[in-house]
Amino acid sequence: MRIPFDRLILLALPLALGACGDQQIAAYRIPKEKEPELAPAAAHAHGNSGTTPPAAGENAAPGMGSGMAGTAVATASGPGLTWVAPAHWQSKAGSAMRKGSYAIPGDGGVMADLAITAFPGDVGGEVANVNRWRGQIQLPPLPEAAVAAAVTRLEHNGLRMGVVDLVSTGANPTRVLGAWIPHEGSTWFVKLTGPDGLVAKEKPAFLEFLQTIKPAAQP
Amino acid sequence: MNESLRSLRDFFVSLKLTVALLVFGMLLIFAATLDQVNLGIWAVQEKYFRSFIVYGRFGEFAVPMFPGGYVIGGLLLINLVAAHIYRFAFTWRKLGIQLAHMGLILLLLGELFTGLLQEDFQMRIGRGETVNYAESFRDNELVLIDVTDPEFDEVVAIPTGLLEKGKPIQHPKLPFRVVPKLYYPNSILQMRPQDGPPSPATAGIGPQLMAAPQPITYRENERNVPTAFVELVGSGGSLGTYLVSTGLIRAQPFEHAGRQWKIALRVRRLYQPFSLTLNELRHDVYPGTEIPKNFSSRVQLKTADGREDREVLIFMNNPLRFGGQTFYQYQMDRSSGFTVLQVVRNPSWLVPYIACTLMTLGLLVQFGFHLIAFVGRRRAPAAAAPVSIPAAR
């Protein structure tokens, strides 16, 4: 079949037009602007009854610590989670990206740290997250099957949770009790880190704490 | 007439073309409706209707698959206009058809203009805050800001589309080249573990962070968090590679040739020659219930030249029209004390109204002529018919 040249041109025109787009570099002068305010970290204003702020995109991100040169990282958006912390956990000023932050005092002045963070997506998946925590206490990464075997599955208030208990080796071992909670397209992490003895003692309180976590909208 | 011109004319005035285009249109709508599950309403509109060609992705390659809305709508428009000129001779009896067709042509043109010219932005204003720019719903930009002057900032804004292409960018206002290294349309940022892999970033906050690419989200209540690694190269060599992301709230400072600069990836901004200050926001409910009755924002509108300085009340169905833009009450959070206005710039907003008026008028005229003729025909035989009296037996 012979297609006339003018029709070919006509049919090719949309392809050429389709390549056009609004990709112009703009240069302009504006009056001096104020730097955006960094919102204070959540949960602290509520004592031990933590409540996450209503997510509102980038402006709702908590502030970064001083080590971050005043730059803030956006955390997960979407509906948040609420929780009730045990009375002896001390709510503390948050640092980078934390939705909640607690200090847990032990005997002899030792302290454990509990951090609640949230990120969009699955943050690389279960295996990557567990191995990241293992890496933080100098443990070698585990293959997928071994990670799956190490995870305890829980479900509270309609939230599915994965929990791991990791202990480092050495003279003064560090223990990490970590839980992750997929919620509304984000993953929430609850991580208790501290000296082995103290974290082991706090394990029942940690597991009870997980039971109090529920979606913000739930009464 | 030249043979090839005649064949072109016959092609465009053909009724077969109309039918083929209508079938293509139906197929396009069908495919777009199915794809809406994956892409969401906005992306479907862009991919299928506000495009010349619908592309399919095969690995790294984008392959043209189907004519887009602009091609089908555009050809329909040409077909309609050509047939109109070629077939219809103007007579008063056909005035109605002419008007209705003109309305239809205008409607197609209006949609084309809206697709090409309309821009949607949002303006988020906290109570007591003054804002002089609107932000895009979806587009982002890399900004390099010369902040040396104590009074003004000189901004160079580069659309992220150019970062995606990965080609070095040189602009007369920049004393360095911007070399995009990596671009993730959606990502998450994390603190980099001490034993993590080395970062492509060498300056600013980047070396302390880790960016993981994520699938692009098309959900209306979610936003992509693009991240890019860009190297700045001056005449004396590299100034460093920065990680920039809309996930970072503050711009990162650096110094070059005695001037202070900032670099950031942010939501695309549209600066206005006026500012809005939020004086009051109201969220009224019906007494004894939580059912919303009214959302309103009382704003102070002020132009830079001082010609306008007045208070405006914006509420549902009562937008502010100013400077060729319309400001609708869009969202509100009374507890946090901020309002969000949707800012729409559509120079062709009147066209659909005129088109519908023309079509209504055309149909009224057309049916009016028919009605008059019909009534006339009914009256005439009734008047002329002889009175028949049946014979009595």
Side-chain angles (χ1 to χ4, degrees):
Chain A
M1 191 182 79
R2 200 178 71 84
I3 301 174
F5 181 69
D6 48 7
R7 303 254 177 100
L8 266 182
I9 296 279
L10 207 73
L11 290 173
L13 191 65
L15 283 171
L17 288 171
C20 304
D22 185 18
Q23 299 290 337
Q24 297 293 315
I25 299 176
Y28 47 87
R29 171 183 280 195
I30 52 165
K32 252 312 174 254
E33 281 184 345
K34 212 170 71 172
E35 278 283 340
E37 298 278 335
L38 296 180
H44 311 120
H46 305 277
N48 276 355
S49 175
T51 306
T52 59
E58 58 275 18
N59 289 346
M64 298 292 284
S66 55
M68 296 298 288
T71 302
V73 173
T75 56
S77 59
L81 297 177
T82 63
W83 56 83
V84 180
H88 67 284
W89 289 8
Q90 296 164 4
S91 179
K92 64 177 181 179
S95 61
M97 298 180 284
R98 292 194 176 193
K99 299 273 188 186
S101 189
Y102 296 91
I104 302 165
D107 298 332
V110 293
M111 296 289 269
D113 172 66
L114 185 121
I116 302 167
T117 52
F119 296 95
D122 67 355
V123 202
E126 199 169 280
V127 178
N129 289 322
V130 171
N131 280 331
R132 193 176 67 245
W133 286 342
R134 288 179 64 83
Q136 286 167 3
I137 54 172
Q138 284 76 49
L139 290 175
L142 290 177
E144 191 173 343
V147 169
V151 176
T152 307
R153 311 277 169 193
L154 302 174
E155 188 166 346
H156 298 303
N157 305 315
L159 299 168
R160 289 169 187 271
M161 306 177 181
V163 184
V164 284
D165 187 353
L166 311 170
V167 192
S168 71
T169 51
N172 294 308
T174 301
R175 193 167 192 142
V176 171
L177 272 174
W180 58 94
I181 308 160
H183 177 58
E184 299 284 339
S186 300
T187 306
W188 288 65
F189 295 97
V190 183
K191 187 179 154 210
L192 175 60
T193 314
D196 180 22
L198 176 56
V199 173
K201 191 179 134 209
E202 287 296 324
K203 190 170 178 177
F206 178 81
L207 295 174
E208 269 181 40
F209 173 70
L210 293 182
Q211 291 178 34
T212 70
I213 298 175
K214 59 185 176 187
Q218 200 171 315
Chain B
M1 189 189 277
N2 172 313
E3 181 60 32
S4 104
L5 273 179
R6 184 175 294 130
S7 90
L8 207 63
R9 182 203 64 194
D10 291 344
F11 174 71
F12 279 123
V13 300
S14 141
L15 194 63
K16 282 181 193 165
L17 178 66
T18 318
V19 175
L21 289 171
L22 289 176
V23 170
F24 273 122
M26 282 193 283
L27 289 174
L28 188 75
I29 292 169
F30 182 67
T33 308
L34 291 184
D35 210 10
Q36 196 175 325
V37 178
N38 306 318
L39 299 183
I41 182 80
W42 167 77
V44 156
Q45 276 187 359
E46 293 296 313
K47 180 178 174 183
Y48 288 87
F49 303 120
R50 292 182 174 169
S51 62
F52 289 96
I53 296 286
V54 179
Y55 288 93
R57 281 219 159 263
F58 292 94
E60 289 290 300
F61 301 101
V63 180
M65 299 283 284
F66 205 75
Y70 284 157
V71 169
I72 296 174
L75 283 176
L76 258 179
L77 180 67
I78 296 169
N79 180 236
L80 192 63
V81 174
H84 203 63
I85 295 167
Y86 183 65
R87 291 191 210 285
F88 296 133
F90 181 79
T91 61
W92 286 108
R93 289 189 62 79
K94 290 197 171 168
L95 177 68
I97 290 182
Q98 300 275 9
L99 281 173
H101 274 84
M102 257 197 292
L104 193 57
I105 290 168
L106 212 55
L107 196 68
L108 283 167
L109 279 174
E111 175 50 29
L112 177 71
F113 292 147
T114 300
L116 291 175
L117 304 175
Q118 178 170 307
E119 287 189 288
D120 287 311
F121 291 85
Q122 60 180 338
M123 218 165 177
R124 186 189 158 101
I125 320 172
R127 195 184 279 117
E129 197 185 356
T130 302
V131 173
N132 66 340
Y133 61 83
E135 291 180 308
S136 169
F137 280 96
R138 292 167 287 272
D139 299 335
N140 301 290
E141 61 188 11
L142 173 75
V143 285
L144 290 136
I145 312 170
D146 182 345
V147 293
T148 316
D149 193 295
E151 298 291 323
F152 294 99
D153 288 345
E154 297 281 357
V155 183
V156 176
I158 302 167
T160 47
L162 295 180
L163 301 183
E164 271 182 276
K165 286 182 183 164
K167 290 182 184 160
I169 298 158
Q170 183 82 63
H171 190 270
K173 291 256 179 175
L174 296 177
F176 41 75
R177 260 183 310 140
V178 178
V179 185
K181 295 280 186 189
L182 259 178
Y183 180 76
Y184 302 144
N186 191 19
S187 63
I188 51 163
L189 296 179
Q190 291 174 271
M191 298 303 294
R192 175 174 294 281
Q194 285 177 348
D195 53 353
S199 170
T202 58
I205 193 74
Q208 297 174 54
L209 298 175
M210 210 163 73
Q214 295 286 301
I216 296 176
T217 177
Y218 295 102
R219 288 167 68 169
E220 282 169 51
N221 58 347
E222 286 184 0
R223 192 159 200 157
N224 291 306
V225 180
T227 294
F229 290 90
V230 288
E231 186 179 12
L232 306 180
V233 184
S235 52
S238 176
L239 311 179
T241 300
Y242 286 83
L243 179 155
V244 285
S245 172
T246 56
L248 298 171
I249 292 174
R250 287 189 172 170
Q252 299 169 66
F254 66 94
E255 196 181 326
H256 176 62
R259 297 192 75 81
Q260 302 298 319
W261 288 84
K262 282 188 174 176
I263 182 170
L265 191 70
R266 69 182 185 194
V267 176
R268 187 182 154 215
R269 287 185 186 180
L270 177 71
Y271 279 89
Q272 309 281 4
F274 56 87
S275 65
L276 295 180
T277 306
L278 180 62
N279 292 338
E280 184 196 28
L281 52 88
R282 289 181 70 93
H283 172 193
D284 302 328
V285 291
Y286 286 100
T289 71
E290 285 299 310
I291 301 167
K293 184 181 173 190
N294 174 47
F295 294 97
S296 66
S297 303
R298 192 178 293 280
V299 294
Q300 191 74 25
L301 167 68
K302 218 174 195 175
T303 53
D305 59 10
R307 285 189 183 177
E308 292 275 356
D309 189 0
R310 59 186 162 100
E311 199 172 60
V312 184
L313 183 66
I314 300 170
F315 54 93
M316 305 291 277
N317 301 325
N318 187 56
L320 159 69
R321 292 187 196 277
F322 187 75
Q325 297 167 87
T326 312
F327 298 77
Y328 297 93
Q329 181 63 58
Y330 180 55
Q331 287 176 340
M332 176 177 290
D333 188 337
R334 195 172 48 167
S335 56
S336 307
F338 71 82
T339 189
V340 184
L341 305 175
Q342 184 183 11
V343 186
V344 178
R345 186 164 65 177
N346 180 12
S348 59
W349 68 277
L350 260 177
V351 175
Y353 294 98
I354 298 170
C356 288
T357 310
L358 275 178
M359 281 195 285
T360 310
L361 203 66
L363 291 174
L364 278 176
V365 169
Q366 190 63 23
F367 289 127
F369 275 144
H370 277 287
L371 187 66
I372 291 165
F374 176 72
V375 170
R377 272 203 303 275
R378 272 186 62 123
R379 275 196 188 150
V387 179
S388 67
I389 301 166
R393 285 174 191 266

